[in-house]
């Protein structure tokens, strides 16, 4: 299966795009992403699609520093529920360890490794999207976010010994120097940050010691809530693909980097089929959308991947025993008391 990432990786992307003269909505669709999903930070999508979007955007804007500009807009909360735990770790080393151990909670393609030798710590980042393709912008976004987190942990005056990238230097280094300071090196053997080991022993500036016991208790429930099974991944992709009109088992399989037989085999092992998941997901979404009187039934039909409102109405009646209009009316009627 291809690794997934949360839509939070694109925080502020839609706002940044027009400032750099590009069409963020069109570029998202060209990369196979649903623009409406940006507001749902916890939705999971293929990491390769996000990497492709960032490369397309950098080319369209003619800005080699696109990933860094996006990193500048990231907030600590974009880590999702894990941020509640990381924020309360007592020191920087502990915070990094928790992030590294549980990084699959926010990005399955990202891998962090911390090594220490002779008083110098190397924080190495690798990105594996599961398919070939340029990841320059995604790498710079990830390193930029890591740098911002370290400044949050240690203090805004902190600067790394050196920031390293395996790719070549861009023509203009002003954004890199503004964010990282003067010590930025390219064509190196790893992507990441060098700092002094003593920096890792610094107290976490964001931590409140009295809250740590409570946030640690949150970690297991948070992990169990993250999509993990094939059924849950397929459900997420069905929700994503329905509005595009391209929701098929073949498209879902391509998004996960496997063939349809592999999808069918994994789902069968979990007692599911793609058709059952499609119907169940559609039915759940339909009930929610139809109950909203501000959304037209034509729009609802399109969001659920039906070619016409008539097809949607017939399907809805078969699923629920009444028309969408009747369902909406029963949900809007005030409750009676005896």
């Amino acid at each position: 299966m291809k690794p997934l990432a949360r839509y939070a990786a694109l925080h502020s992307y839609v706002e940044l795009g027009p400032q750099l003269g590009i069409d963020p909505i069109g570029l998202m669709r060209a990369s196979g992403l649903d623009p409406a999903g940006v507001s749902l930070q916890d939705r999971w999508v293929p990491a390769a699609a996000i990497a492709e979007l960032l490369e397309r955007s950098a080319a369209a804007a003619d800005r080699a520093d696109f990933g860094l500009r996006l990193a500048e807009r990231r907030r600590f909360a974009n880590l999702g529920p894990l941020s509640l735990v990381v924020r309360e770790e007592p020191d920087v080393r502990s915070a990094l360890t928790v992030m590294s151990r549980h990084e699959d909670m926010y990005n399955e393609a990202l891998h962090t490794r911390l090594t220490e030798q002779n008083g110098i710590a190397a924080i190495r980042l690798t990105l594996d999207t599961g398919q070939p393709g340029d990841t320059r912008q995604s790498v710079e976004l990830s390193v930029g976010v890591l740098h911002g987190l370290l400044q949050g942990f240690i203090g805004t005056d902190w600067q790394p010994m050196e920031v390293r990238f395996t790719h070549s230097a861009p023509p203009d280094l002003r954004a890199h120097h503004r964010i990282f300071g003067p010590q930025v090196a390219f064509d190196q053997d790893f992507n990441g940050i060098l700092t002094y080991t003593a920096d890792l022993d610094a107290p976490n500036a964001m931590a409140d010691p009295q809250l740590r016991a409570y946030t640690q208790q949150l970690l297991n429930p948070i992990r169990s809530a993250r999509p993990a099974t094939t059924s849950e991944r397929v459900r997420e992709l069905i929700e994503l693909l329905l509005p595009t009109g391209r929701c098929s088992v073949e498209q879902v399989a391509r998004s996960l980097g496997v063939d349809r037989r592999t999808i069918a085999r994994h789902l069968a092992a979990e007692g599911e089929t793609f058709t059952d998941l499609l119907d169940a997901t559609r039915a759940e979404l339909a009930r929610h959308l139809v109950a909203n009187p501000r959304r037209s039934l034509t729009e609802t039909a399109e969001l659920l991947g039906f070619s016409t409102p008539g097809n949607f109405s017939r399907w809805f009646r078969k699923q629920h025993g009444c028309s969408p209009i009747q369902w909406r009316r029963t949900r809007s009627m005030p409750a009676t008391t005896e």
Side-chain angles (χ1 to χ4, degrees):
M1 299 288 185
K2 287 183 182 178
L4 305 179
R6 294 169 64 247
Y7 253 132
L10 295 176
H11 174 75
S12 292
Y13 170 79
V14 173
E15 292 77 17
L16 176 63
Q19 296 179 20
L20 300 182
I22 63 174
D23 172 19
I25 303 301
L27 286 166
M28 288 189 72
R29 289 179 175 142
S31 301
L33 294 169
D34 176 17
V38 173
S39 62
L40 304 173
Q41 291 198 57
D42 289 326
R43 172 173 283 181
W44 291 79
V45 294
I50 291 178
E52 179 184 342
L53 172 64
L54 296 182
E55 297 303 325
R56 286 176 180 264
S57 301
D62 193 23
R63 301 299 296 254
D65 59 2
F66 188 88
L68 283 185
R69 288 178 173 269
L70 199 57
E72 286 185 289
R73 293 166 167 262
R74 287 289 290 274
R75 301 175 60 186
F76 184 65
N78 295 137
L79 285 176
L82 185 62
S83 64
L84 298 172
V85 178
V86 173
R87 184 186 62 190
E88 304 307 333
E89 289 301 298
D91 54 52
V92 179
R93 180 182 285 99
S94 179
L96 286 174
T97 299
V98 170
M99 286 177 54
S100 176
R101 185 180 301 146
H102 303 289
E103 60 199 354
D104 62 334
M105 292 179 65
Y106 55 91
N107 191 334
E108 295 178 341
L110 184 64
H111 306 286
T112 307
R113 185 161 63 95
L114 172 64
T115 59
E116 301 178 50
Q117 187 174 12
N118 299 327
I120 297 175
I123 310 168
R124 303 167 183 256
L125 299 183
T126 57
L127 196 69
D128 179 11
T129 64
Q131 68 181 43
D134 195 355
T135 58
R136 179 191 186 107
Q137 300 303 321
S138 297
V139 166
E140 294 207 349
L141 169 61
S142 300
V143 174
V145 169
L146 173 62
H147 179 271
L149 290 172
L150 288 170
Q151 283 195 324
F153 296 148
I154 303 172
T156 55
D157 293 335
W158 170 83
Q159 281 196 339
M161 290 178 58
E162 189 174 70
V163 173
R164 293 184 176 181
F165 295 105
T166 59
H167 51 256
S168 59
D172 187 346
L173 287 173
R174 283 178 295 179
H176 293 76
H177 289 160
R178 183 181 74 252
I179 294 171
F180 300 125
Q183 302 302 319
V184 184
F186 295 87
D187 297 309
Q188 301 297 304
D189 59 339
F190 71 90
N191 298 302
I193 292 176
L194 292 178
T195 191
Y196 293 107
T197 299
D199 291 337
L200 303 184
D201 298 321
N204 179 2
M206 293 185 285
D208 181 342
Q210 294 184 4
L211 290 178
R212 187 168 186 251
Y214 296 106
T215 56
Q216 285 293 316
Q217 294 173 21
L218 291 174
L219 193 54
N220 287 337
I222 287 172
R223 287 198 63 83
S224 65
R226 191 188 66 78
T229 67
T230 299
S231 300
E232 289 165 333
R233 285 184 165 192
V234 169
R235 272 183 175 271
E236 289 278 353
L237 287 168
I238 288 173
E239 288 187 25
L240 176 68
L241 292 169
L242 274 174
T244 71
R246 296 183 289 107
C247 186
S248 65
V249 64
E250 289 82 8
Q251 182 61 48
V252 168
R254 281 195 294 272
S255 296
L256 293 174
V258 297
D259 57 36
R260 61 176 297 168
R261 290 188 297 275
T262 302
I263 290 288
R265 186 170 65 252
H266 281 280
L267 289 178
E270 297 171 11
E272 298 279 6
T273 68
F274 179 79
T275 300
D276 289 343
L277 285 176
L278 176 60
D279 285 342
T281 304
R282 251 183 176 158
E284 181 179 342
L285 290 173
R287 289 191 293 271
H288 173 73
L289 294 171
V290 169
N292 182 357
R294 293 186 297 275
R295 192 181 296 277
S296 72
L297 295 182
T298 298
E299 183 184 5
T300 296
E302 291 175 354
L303 288 173
L304 293 172
F306 289 94
S307 57
T308 67
N311 288 341
F312 166 60
S313 294
R314 285 189 289 273
W315 172 85
F316 191 93
R317 183 181 292 275
K318 183 178 179 181
Q319 290 285 325
H320 299 95
C322 64
S323 71
I325 291 292
Q326 291 169 324
W327 177 277
R328 176 171 290 178
R329 285 173 181 165
T330 60
R331 294 305 179 274
S332 62
M333 290 174 59
T336 59
T337 58
E338 295 183 2

